[in-house]
Coordinates of all heavy atoms in Angstrom, one line a residue:
H1 N -101.7 163.5 23.5 CA -103.0 163.4 23.0 C -104.0 163.6 24.1 O -104.0 163.0 25.1 CB -103.2 162.0 22.3 CG -104.6 161.8 21.8 ND1 -105.5 161.0 22.5 CD2 -105.3 162.3 20.8 CE1 -106.7 161.0 21.8 NE2 -106.5 161.8 20.8
L2 N -104.9 164.6 23.9 CA -105.9 165.0 25.0 C -107.3 164.4 24.8 O -108.1 164.6 25.7 CB -106.0 166.5 25.1 CG -104.7 167.3 25.3 CD1 -104.9 168.8 25.3 CD2 -104.0 166.8 26.5
G3 N -107.5 163.8 23.7 CA -108.8 163.2 23.4 C -109.3 163.8 22.1 O -108.9 164.9 21.7
G4 N -110.2 163.1 21.4 CA -110.7 163.6 20.2 C -109.6 163.8 19.2 O -108.7 162.9 19.0
E5 N -109.5 164.9 18.6 CA -108.4 165.2 17.6 C -107.4 166.2 18.2 O -106.6 166.7 17.5 CB -109.0 165.8 16.3 CG -109.8 164.7 15.6 CD -110.3 165.3 14.3 OE1 -109.8 166.3 13.8 OE2 -111.3 164.7 13.7
A6 N -107.5 166.4 19.5 CA -106.6 167.4 20.2 C -105.3 166.8 20.6 O -105.3 165.8 21.3 CB -107.4 168.0 21.4
V7 N -104.3 167.5 20.1 CA -102.9 167.1 20.5 C -102.1 168.4 20.8 O -102.3 169.3 20.0 CB -102.2 166.3 19.3 CG1 -100.8 166.0 19.6 CG2 -103.0 165.1 18.9
V8 N -101.4 168.4 21.9 CA -100.6 169.6 22.2 C -99.1 169.2 22.4 O -98.9 168.0 22.8 CB -101.1 170.3 23.4 CG1 -102.5 170.9 23.2 CG2 -101.1 169.4 24.7
H9 N -98.3 170.1 22.3 CA -96.9 169.9 22.5 C -96.7 169.8 24.1 O -97.2 170.6 24.8 CB -96.0 171.0 22.0 CG -94.6 170.7 21.9 ND1 -93.7 170.7 23.0 CD2 -93.8 170.3 20.8 CE1 -92.5 170.4 22.6 NE2 -92.6 170.1 21.3
E10 N -96.0 168.8 24.5 CA -95.9 168.6 26.0 C -95.2 169.8 26.7 O -95.6 170.1 27.8 CB -95.0 167.4 26.3 CG -95.8 166.1 26.1 CD -95.0 164.9 26.5 OE1 -93.8 164.9 26.7 OE2 -95.7 163.8 26.6
K11 N -94.4 170.5 26.0 CA -93.7 171.7 26.6 C -94.7 172.8 26.9 O -94.4 173.7 27.7 CB -92.5 172.2 25.8 CG -91.4 171.2 25.8 CD -90.2 171.7 25.1 CE -89.1 170.7 25.2 NZ -87.9 171.2 24.5
S12 N -95.8 172.8 26.2 CA -96.8 173.9 26.4 C -97.7 173.6 27.5 O -98.5 174.5 28.0 CB -97.6 174.1 25.1 OG -98.5 173.0 24.9
V13 N -97.7 172.4 28.1 CA -98.6 172.1 29.2 C -98.1 172.7 30.5 O -97.0 172.4 30.9 CB -98.7 170.5 29.3 CG1 -99.6 170.2 30.5 CG2 -99.3 169.9 28.1
I14 N -98.9 173.5 31.1 CA -98.6 174.1 32.4 C -99.1 173.2 33.5 O -98.4 172.9 34.5 CB -99.3 175.5 32.5 CG1 -98.7 176.4 31.5 CG2 -99.1 176.0 33.9 CD1 -99.4 177.7 31.4
A15 N -100.3 172.7 33.4 CA -100.9 171.8 34.5 C -102.0 171.0 34.0 O -102.7 171.3 33.0 CB -101.4 172.7 35.6
V16 N -102.2 169.9 34.6 CA -103.4 169.0 34.3 C -104.1 168.8 35.6 O -103.5 168.5 36.7 CB -102.9 167.6 33.8 CG1 -104.0 166.7 33.6 CG2 -102.0 167.7 32.6
F17 N -105.4 169.1 35.6 CA -106.3 169.0 36.8 C -107.4 168.0 36.7 O -108.0 167.8 35.6 CB -106.9 170.4 37.1 CG -105.9 171.5 37.4 CD1 -105.5 172.3 36.3 CD2 -105.4 171.6 38.6 CE1 -104.6 173.4 36.6 CE2 -104.5 172.6 38.9 CZ -104.1 173.5 37.9
D18 N -107.7 167.3 37.8 CA -108.8 166.4 37.8 C -110.1 167.3 38.0 O -110.1 168.1 38.9 CB -108.7 165.5 39.0 CG -109.8 164.6 39.2 OD1 -109.9 163.6 38.4 OD2 -110.7 164.8 40.0
M19 N -111.0 167.1 37.1 CA -112.2 167.9 37.1 C -113.0 167.8 38.4 O -113.4 168.8 39.0 CB -113.1 167.5 36.0 CG -114.3 168.4 35.7 SD -113.9 170.1 35.2 CE -113.6 169.8 33.5
D20 N -113.2 166.6 39.0 CA -114.0 166.4 40.2 C -113.4 167.0 41.4 O -114.0 167.7 42.2 CB -114.3 164.9 40.4 CG -115.2 164.3 39.5 OD1 -116.0 165.1 38.9 OD2 -115.2 163.1 39.3
N21 N -112.1 166.9 41.5 CA -111.4 167.3 42.7 C -111.1 168.8 42.8 O -111.1 169.4 43.8 CB -110.0 166.6 42.9 CG -110.2 165.2 43.3 OD1 -111.2 164.8 43.9 ND2 -109.3 164.3 42.8
T22 N -110.9 169.4 41.6 CA -110.6 170.9 41.6 C -111.8 171.8 41.4 O -111.7 173.0 41.8 CB -109.5 171.2 40.5 OG1 -110.1 170.8 39.2 CG2 -108.3 170.4 40.8
T23 N -112.9 171.4 40.8 CA -114.0 172.3 40.6 C -114.8 172.5 41.9 O -115.7 173.3 41.9 CB -114.9 171.8 39.5 OG1 -115.3 170.5 39.7 CG2 -114.2 171.9 38.1
I24 N -114.4 171.9 43.0 CA -115.0 172.2 44.3 C -114.6 173.6 44.7 O -115.4 174.3 45.3 CB -114.6 171.1 45.3 CG1 -115.1 169.7 44.9 CG2 -115.1 171.5 46.7 CD1 -114.5 168.6 45.7
S25 N -113.4 173.9 44.4 CA -112.8 175.2 44.8 C -113.4 176.4 44.1 O -113.6 176.3 42.8 CB -111.3 175.2 44.6 OG -110.8 176.5 44.6
R26 N -113.7 177.4 44.8 CA -114.3 178.6 44.2 C -113.3 179.3 43.2 O -113.7 179.8 42.1 CB -114.7 179.6 45.3 CG -115.3 180.9 44.7 CD -115.7 181.8 45.8 NE -115.0 181.6 47.0 CZ -115.1 182.3 48.1 NH1 -116.0 183.2 48.2 NH2 -114.4 182.0 49.2
Q27 N -112.0 179.2 43.5 CA -111.0 179.8 42.7 C -110.9 179.0 41.3 O -110.8 179.6 40.3 CB -109.6 179.8 43.3 CG -109.5 180.7 44.5 CD -109.9 180.1 45.8 OE1 -110.4 179.0 45.9 NE2 -109.8 180.9 46.9
S28 N -111.0 177.7 41.4 CA -111.0 176.9 40.2 C -112.2 177.2 39.3 O -112.0 177.3 38.1 CB -110.9 175.4 40.5 OG -109.7 175.1 41.2
R29 N -113.3 177.3 39.9 CA -114.6 177.6 39.1 C -114.4 179.0 38.5 O -114.8 179.2 37.3 CB -115.8 177.5 40.0 CG -116.2 176.1 40.4 CD -117.6 176.0 41.0 NE -117.8 176.9 42.0 CZ -117.6 176.7 43.3 NH1 -117.1 175.6 43.7 NH2 -117.9 177.6 44.2
H30 N -113.9 179.9 39.2 CA -113.7 181.3 38.7 C -112.8 181.3 37.5 O -113.0 181.9 36.5 CB -113.2 182.2 39.8 CG -113.0 183.6 39.4 ND1 -114.0 184.5 39.0 CD2 -111.8 184.3 39.1 CE1 -113.4 185.6 38.6 NE2 -112.1 185.5 38.7
F31 N -111.6 180.5 37.7 CA -110.7 180.4 36.6 C -111.3 179.9 35.4 O -111.1 180.4 34.3 CB -109.5 179.6 37.1 CG -108.5 179.2 36.0 CD1 -107.6 180.2 35.5 CD2 -108.5 178.0 35.4 CE1 -106.8 179.9 34.4 CE2 -107.7 177.6 34.4 CZ -106.8 178.6 33.9
L32 N -112.0 178.8 35.5 CA -112.7 178.1 34.3 C -113.7 179.1 33.7 O -113.8 179.2 32.5 CB -113.3 176.8 34.7 CG -112.3 175.7 35.0 CD1 -113.0 174.5 35.6 CD2 -111.5 175.3 33.7
N33 N -114.5 179.8 34.5 CA -115.5 180.7 34.0 C -114.8 181.8 33.2 O -115.3 182.2 32.2 CB -116.4 181.2 35.1 CG -117.3 180.2 35.6 OD1 -117.7 179.3 35.0 ND2 -117.7 180.4 36.9
E34 N -113.7 182.4 33.8 CA -113.1 183.5 33.1 C -112.4 183.1 31.8 O -112.5 183.8 30.8 CB -112.0 184.1 34.1 CG -112.6 185.0 35.1 CD -113.4 186.2 34.5 OE1 -112.9 186.9 33.7 OE2 -114.6 186.3 34.9
T35 N -111.8 181.9 31.8 CA -111.1 181.5 30.6 C -112.2 181.2 29.5 O -112.0 181.4 28.3 CB -110.2 180.2 30.8 OG1 -110.9 179.2 31.4 CG2 -109.0 180.6 31.6
Q36 N -113.3 180.7 29.9 CA -114.4 180.4 29.0 C -114.9 181.7 28.4 O -115.2 181.8 27.2 CB -115.5 179.6 29.6 CG -116.5 179.1 28.6 CD -117.5 178.1 29.2 OE1 -117.6 177.9 30.4 NE2 -118.1 177.3 28.3
R37 N -115.1 182.7 29.3 CA -115.6 184.0 28.9 C -114.7 184.6 27.8 O -115.1 185.3 26.9 CB -115.8 184.9 30.1 CG -116.4 186.3 29.8 CD -116.4 187.2 31.0 NE -115.0 187.5 31.5 CZ -114.2 188.4 30.9 NH1 -114.5 189.0 29.8 NH2 -113.0 188.6 31.5
R38 N -113.4 184.4 28.0 CA -112.4 185.0 27.1 C -112.2 184.1 25.8 O -111.4 184.5 25.0 CB -111.0 185.2 27.8 CG -111.0 186.2 28.9 CD -109.6 186.5 29.4 NE -108.9 185.4 29.9 CZ -108.8 185.0 31.2 NH1 -109.3 185.8 32.1 NH2 -108.1 184.0 31.5
G39 N -112.9 183.0 25.7 CA -112.8 182.2 24.5 C -111.5 181.3 24.5 O -111.1 180.9 23.5
E40 N -111.0 181.0 25.7 CA -109.8 180.3 25.8 C -110.0 178.8 26.1 O -109.0 178.0 26.3 CB -108.8 180.9 26.9 CG -108.4 182.3 26.5 CD -107.7 183.0 27.7 OE1 -107.7 182.5 28.8 OE2 -107.1 184.0 27.4
V41 N -111.2 178.4 26.1 CA -111.6 177.0 26.5 C -111.9 176.2 25.2 O -112.6 176.6 24.4 CB -112.8 176.9 27.5 CG1 -113.2 175.4 27.7 CG2 -112.4 177.5 28.8

């Protein structure tokens, strides 16, 4: 259970990241921006 009504199969989880610690990185911000642009968020 990820929050709200979102539930995913555990085998589909690749990684879990802490928002505060990882969004400092330019690569992480780029990854999030690109996935959002593609409608994957």
